[in-house]
Amino acid sequence: MPLFGSVLALALVAGCTGGDAVTDDTAVTVLTGDLGDLGALQPIVSANVIEYSGETITYLTTEELPCEDMLKSRWLLNLSEDAQVVEMVYKSATTGTDFEIGGTGELEVHYAQGGQSSSYEESAYTGTLSIDERASGDPIAGYVDATFQNPAGSLVGPFSAEFCKGGQEY
């Protein structure tokens, strides 16, 4: 995977607090855009944030994705081919709340189709991410604006996601 080895993912997924409780924070997630060959970004129905290998990764999905389904790696393969997943990734040790894509290595934004390997993800070539301050293991909220080049696409809007303890990369 480019940049950090693992991906900082922004994907909205059904909130998870680590137990059986599931909350729906997607009411404040209003991403719009076009995901290249996947077409218009569909409504986000799940939003989770994980901490994995020194990175904070947010996953926003257009298909239900409970935290417990994220506890095993390669969970992207289990989603339907109609599912769209947005991933935002940054180093967990970063102290700032404003990130930029492009040469600095501080932010990655990707999208992927469900039912496939993450090796088919598409990466944004420019964009920004602003997050509210948060502590490790807490929910996350912010605003993303990313542009993809090949294939062309973009996504923009506010999001929020619940922390998913033990969640794995897609």
Side-chain angles (χ1 to χ4, degrees):
M1 293 199 177
L3 217 49
F4 311 131
S6 341
V7 176
L8 160 63
L10 168 65
L12 290 178
V13 213
C16 176
T17 59
D20 292 332
V22 175
T23 60
D24 184 6
D25 263 356
T26 58
V28 296
T29 300
V30 189
L31 292 184
T32 60
D34 185 297
L35 301 183
D37 295 339
L38 300 184
L41 179 61
Q42 301 302 307
I44 299 299
V45 298
S46 290
N48 279 317
V49 61
I50 67 170
E51 293 170 350
Y52 185 82
S53 294
E55 295 176 328
T56 298
I57 307 173
T58 303
Y59 289 102
L60 309 174
T61 67
T62 61
E63 184 173 295
E64 288 293 332
L65 182 61
C67 177
E68 49 273 4
D69 290 356
M70 297 179 67
L71 299 180
K72 294 190 330 187
S73 64
R74 301 182 191 258
W75 51 261
L76 181 63
L77 293 167
N78 296 322
L79 297 179
S80 76
E81 289 184 6
D82 293 334
Q84 299 169 330
V85 180
V86 176
E87 174 187 63
M88 298 178 285
V89 181
Y90 62 90
K91 296 278 189 190
S92 295
T94 303
T95 57
T97 57
D98 295 307
F99 305 93
E100 187 174 338
I101 298 170
T104 62
E106 63 183 28
L107 173 65
E108 296 178 32
V109 176
H110 307 276
Y111 70 82
Q113 179 178 3
Q116 296 192 11
S117 163
S118 62
S119 63
Y120 291 100
E121 72 184 6
E122 299 294 342
S123 301
Y125 79 98
T126 187
T128 58
L129 171 68
S130 295
I131 58 168
D132 297 340
E133 290 190 36
R134 74 172 200 86
S136 177
D138 281 354
I140 190 170
Y143 190 90
V144 63
D145 185 349
T147 302
F148 301 86
Q149 189 168 21
N150 190 15
S154 64
L155 62 93
V156 62
F159 68 92
S160 67
E162 290 295 318
F163 184 71
C164 177
K165 184 176 182 178
Q168 302 288 306
E169 286 186 293
Y170 68 12

